[in-house]
Amino acid sequence: MPPRSFRSAIVAVVLFGIFVTWSMATARYGGPDEPAHVLRAASVASGDFVGDRAVGLAAGYRIVTVPAALTTGDPTCFRHDDDRPATCAVARPGATGTATAASSAGTYPPLYYALVGVPVRLFGDTSSVLWYRLVAAAWCAFVVGLAVSRSRRFVAVPLVIVITPAAWFLFGVVNPNALEIALALLAWVGVERIRVHEKSNSLSDALWVSIPMALAILIRPIAVLAWLAMVGVLVVVRRGRPNSRSLAKWLALFGPAVVAGCAAIGWNAWAAVAVNDSRTAESLSLTRRVWRSIDGLVDTWREMVGSLGWLEFSIPWISAIFSWSVVAVAIWLVCRAARPLRVAWAWTLVVLVCGPIVFETALADRVGFIWQGRYSIATAIGLLIVGIGEWNARLRPSVLRWILYAVAMAQIVTLWAVLQRYTVGAHGSWTFDHARWDPPVPPIFLLGADAVLMVAAIWMSIGRSVSGGAFSDLSPHDVERRTSTEPLDLLGTERVDGLEVDR
């Protein structure tokens, strides 16, 4: 059998191929706020970390100097009309040299933009949006592939299960939210590994949770919500009283995230970040803010799974059924699990629900009710990963196979709908008749490549998780004990004949 690093590289390559099909299927600047992110990546790569203030625009806008071609092809002509193909937003031929433009991401933390922009500047075409997408997709594929490597087989299943159609879309465009989701996936794998495997309880295991989330916080400070959910889960599943070894583990768990948070605060101060936007701010009483935010939760959950583009179109109904069915199965399995797992799952749900409410209630008078479902994906995937051992321990292999096939079908059908939306409009021909926008590769080839790669991803998941068994290296007694009884000890102690001892 190939070494684990080689298998992980194969997984990363397959994932990268899938993400690239999405990159090519999505019209230029079709991703949410993508023009701003591409402009910022180009400017950060050239050494301009904070541009000039944009007079007359919201506080977050900055004037940057970028390749002139990137300033053409404004998507405003199609982004709010899902029946209008993307023909109207193409790069202006012959645009050379540099130009100035305003980026609404002008004060965002620069880490993500450097990761994307610098490789393009060194090896690619700085005037091509597709090049920025390819680099962004490569980083996401690398991190998700690393998560699979860390999964020890049993978390290979979420390779397709935990990635919602909305997340697949984000992985194909330039948006820091995508890498935040990938890093959260890696960290959640670490959380579940600590919960299930007794030997995965070292200092390094805590760092595999905290370092990815520290990077996520440096990229998008709002990732602190997902980190809080993870910490709560680990608190619930720990056992024993603190000791010197457990203190080191808690420092490893909290330290990187705290440092990242302080760095984010320092950046905000240095870049003079102003959290206000008069265009969306609303002055309401506290009670009305809370109820307004609660009223928007349904839209948040819908967007989290199936809103694409600039939120102007959604996934097909069959994809929505498949995706929400997976959530229903996860809830059913958790309800049948041991109490610590149910409590951990409930804590994650509380953070998922209350996070947007607290955010909007606190900032409605400054930025309005701006929370979007994609902001919650990094937390939501924990609902599927925490307790993922239950999927293999309690579902028959044939049932799990069909779930994997259903999720894969949801992804393929959604990609088909994306191609339809940009070529002929969301209600146009499913066979792309009279297409008015052409992706770099003919749609039929993109769909075929995506289907083949998804089959490969499922085969790897089934081969690692279903055929061999998620816990094939454990005895039946260990499987039952580790999925259905007491949680594992994050603190590094265990009870032997009534006494607590160090491992």
Side-chain angles (χ1 to χ4, degrees), residues 140-374:
C140 291
F142 169 75
V143 174
V144 177
L146 193 58
V148 174
S149 175
R150 289 277 302 160
S151 67
R152 288 190 175 181
R153 285 196 297 269
F154 70 98
V155 188
V157 174
L159 181 67
V160 292
I161 284 183
V162 306
I163 302 178
T164 69
W168 286 111
F169 181 88
L170 287 171
F171 287 144
V173 299
V174 181
N175 194 304
N177 198 176
L179 190 53
E180 174 203 6
I181 293 169
L183 288 166
L185 174 61
L186 176 59
W188 278 115
V189 167
V191 171
E192 180 66 356
R193 178 168 171 161
I194 289 173
R195 189 189 73 84
V196 172
H197 285 283
E198 245 178 68
K199 294 181 181 180
S200 296
N201 199 19
S202 64
L203 188 66
S204 64
D205 286 294
L207 291 174
W208 274 103
V209 176
S210 62
I211 291 180
M213 288 314 298
L215 292 172
I217 292 170
L218 284 174
I219 290 170
R220 278 174 54 83
I222 198 64
V224 69
L225 289 178
W227 175 71
L228 288 174
M230 295 175 194
V231 171
V233 170
L234 292 176
V235 168
V236 170
V237 302
R238 83 188 195 283
R239 186 179 60 194
R241 291 195 298 269
N243 55 43
S244 59
R245 295 179 62 187
S246 70
L247 179 60
K249 293 175 185 178
W250 282 115
L251 288 175
L253 182 64
F254 282 90
V258 171
V259 171
C262 292
I265 294 173
W267 166 262
N268 290 345
W270 183 78
V273 175
V275 185
N276 59 73
D277 191 339
S278 59
R279 300 170 303 172
T280 55
E282 296 188 37
S283 180
L284 301 172
S285 67
L286 178 61
T287 302
R288 292 187 63 186
R289 291 184 205 175
V290 172
W291 282 111
R292 173 80 174 272
S293 183
I294 293 174
D295 185 58
L297 284 178
V298 173
D299 287 336
T300 296
W301 296 335
R302 176 182 58 80
E303 293 169 1
M304 183 172 59
V305 172
S307 286
L308 309 177
W310 295 69
L311 303 184
E312 83 272 16
F313 73 111
S314 300
I315 60 176
W317 62 268
I318 189 170
S319 298
I321 290 175
F322 286 155
S323 299
W324 285 110
S325 295
V326 170
V327 176
V329 171
I331 294 173
W332 177 74
L333 289 172
V334 167
C335 290
R336 294 169 57 88
R339 183 176 181 275
L341 178 56
R342 296 199 305 269
V343 174
W345 199 88
W347 166 252
T348 306
L349 182 62
V350 167
V351 175
L352 179 67
V353 172
C354 294
I357 295 175
V358 173
F359 178 90
E360 291 188 325
T361 300
L363 299 177
D365 61 338
R366 302 177 68 180
V367 296
F369 298 87
I370 62 170
W371 193 273
Q372 297 180 20
R374 60 188 176 91

